[in-house]
């Protein structure tokens, strides 16, 4: 391959690229420039989008190099922004060959970036290669993703401890860069000193974690079945209540109809009585004098008649 084991890292990567006839292009160059030290999170996000196609280019290179050239490729892979999953690289046979031998530390570091956190690196720093500034930031981004999977509101003290940072300003700058790089989406709550995470990218999954995921999904399915059964029960109760209310409605309507008929009949009788009373009230009343005069006349006649009878008998 025309690569010297003891050569400089940049010369090694350039030699490998030329010998394969492949160029990582402007995207990789921008990524490596950012890895060397980018001052703005917004610029880093722009460079990340520009270097999105470099994943395939790294995969092509990783399939055709071995030894020191592959180690240098892994170093560049862990520095370039925009690449945060490494499962495909770990599955490559030539990368798995690095597990044993002089380049085992590079394989372990790649595994750490795939599944671990910055605190894991600090715990095993003696057995791992030293990280560049870009690699540290990248691993810290991935550590924030791991924390976001457990907590949606991450307190600043937790972030400071997990990311091995002591300056609050540097922590906020790092989180802002991670947000601009589309690693996490959320906002900083400076009053409560928390990072509120809306969503984040996904990370690589270990094969032994699949059973845990399957169990979690099964629990979720069971919960959905329970909710569905509860909804169906509520629907049944609602139907029964509806039927009961319809019966009550019909009963009330019948009662109202009967009351209307009763009121109509009662109203008709009352109307007739009112009309009769009105007619009676229209007849002229008999004067009181006529009533009394009639009575006196009848008495006088009676007396006169009786007088005549006594006279005849005499």
């Amino acid at each position: 391959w025309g690569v010297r084991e003891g050569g400089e890292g940049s010369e090694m990567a350039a030699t490998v690229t030329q010998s394969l006839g492949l160029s990582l292009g402007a995207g990789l160059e921008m990524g490596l420039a950012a890895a060397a030290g980018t001052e703005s999170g917004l610029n880093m996000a722009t460079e990340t989008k520009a270097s999105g196609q470099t994943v395939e280019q790294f995969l092509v290179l990783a399939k055709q190099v071995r030894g020191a050239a592959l180690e240098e490729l892994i170093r560049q892979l862990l520095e370039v922004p925009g690449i945060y999953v490494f499962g495909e690289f770990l599955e490559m046979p030539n990368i798995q060959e690095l597990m044993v031998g002089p380049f085992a530390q590079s394989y372990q570091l790649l595994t750490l970036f795939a599944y671990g956190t910055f605190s894991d690196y600090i715990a095993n720093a003696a057995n791992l290669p030293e990280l560049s500034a870009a690699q540290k930031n990248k691993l810290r981004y991935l550590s924030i993703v791991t924390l976001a999977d457990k907590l949606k509101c991450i307190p600043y003290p937790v972030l400071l401890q997990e990311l091995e940072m002591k300056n609050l300003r540097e922590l906020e700058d790092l989180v802002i860069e991670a947000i601009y790089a589309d690693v996490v989406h959320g906002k900083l709550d400076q009053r409560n000193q928390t990072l509120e995470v809306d969503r984040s990218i996904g990370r690589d999954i270990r094969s032994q974690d699949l059973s845990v995921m399957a169990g979690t999904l099964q629990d979720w399915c069971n919960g959905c079945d329970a909710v569905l059964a509860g909804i169906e029960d509520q629907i049944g109760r609602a139907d029964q209540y509806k039927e009961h209310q319809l019966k009550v409605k019909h009963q009330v309507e019948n009662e109202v109809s009967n009351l209307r008929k009763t009121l109509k009949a009662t109203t008709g009788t009352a109307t007739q009585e009112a009309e009769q009373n009105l007619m009676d009230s229209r007849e002229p009343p008999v004067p009181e004098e006529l009533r009394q005069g009639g009575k006196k006349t009848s008495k006088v006649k009676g007396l006169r008649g009786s007088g005549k009878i006594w006279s005849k008998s005499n």
Side-chain angles (χ1 to χ4, degrees), residues 96-117:
Q96 291 181 356
E97 292 176 358
L98 300 179
M99 293 175 61
V100 180
F103 308 110
Q105 289 186 349
S106 296
Y107 178 83
Q108 294 174 4
L109 186 62
L110 179 61
T111 304
L112 179 66
F113 269 75
Y115 309 116
T117 61

Side-chain angles (χ1 to χ4, degrees), residues 11-114:
E11 295 178 358
M12 186 178 301
T15 305
V16 171
T17 304
Q18 293 174 1
S19 62
L20 291 175
L22 295 172
S23 173
L24 295 180
L28 182 56
E29 292 177 1
M30 294 173 66
L32 293 177
T38 303
E39 296 180 358
S40 171
L42 181 59
N43 291 337
M44 181 179 292
T46 304
E47 292 162 1
T48 300
K49 294 178 182 179
S51 61
Q53 73 275 13
T54 60
V55 177
E56 290 77 11
Q57 295 171 342
F58 271 108
L59 288 171
V60 171
L61 286 171
K63 290 178 181 178
Q64 304 182 46
V65 295
R66 283 176 172 76
L70 185 57
E71 182 185 39
E72 175 61 20
L73 187 66
I74 291 174
R75 185 191 66 79
Q76 294 184 20
L77 175 66
L78 299 181
E79 285 188 350
V80 67
I83 301 178
Y84 299 102
V85 289
F86 310 97
E88 292 182 88
F89 296 95
L90 289 172
E91 293 175 355
M92 291 183 173
N94 55 335
I95 290 183
Q96 291 181 356
E97 292 176 358
L98 300 179
M99 293 175 61
V100 180
F103 308 110
Q105 289 186 349
S106 296
Y107 178 83
Q108 294 174 4
L109 186 62
L110 179 61
T111 304
L112 179 66
F113 269 75

Side-chain angles (χ1 to χ4, degrees), residues 194-257:
T194 58
L195 168 62
E196 298 179 5
V197 180
D198 296 328
R199 63 183 186 275
S200 62
I201 63 173
R203 295 198 64 183
D204 294 290
I205 301 172
R206 297 178 185 269
S207 57
Q208 56 265 33
D209 294 335
L210 294 177
S211 58
V212 178
M213 292 184 62
T216 302
L217 291 174
Q218 186 60 48
D219 293 339
W220 179 78
C221 291
N222 294 337
C224 291
D225 292 338
V227 171
L228 182 60
I231 292 174
E232 292 176 350
D233 182 63
Q234 292 294 331
I235 291 174
R237 292 182 181 180
D239 291 339
Q240 293 178 359
Y241 179 77
K242 181 180 179 181
E243 292 177 1
H244 174 71
Q245 291 298 108
L246 288 174
K247 291 180 181 179
V248 172
K249 180 181 178 182
H250 293 323
Q251 182 179 357
V252 171
E253 289 176 350
N254 292 333
E255 292 179 357
V256 171
S257 178

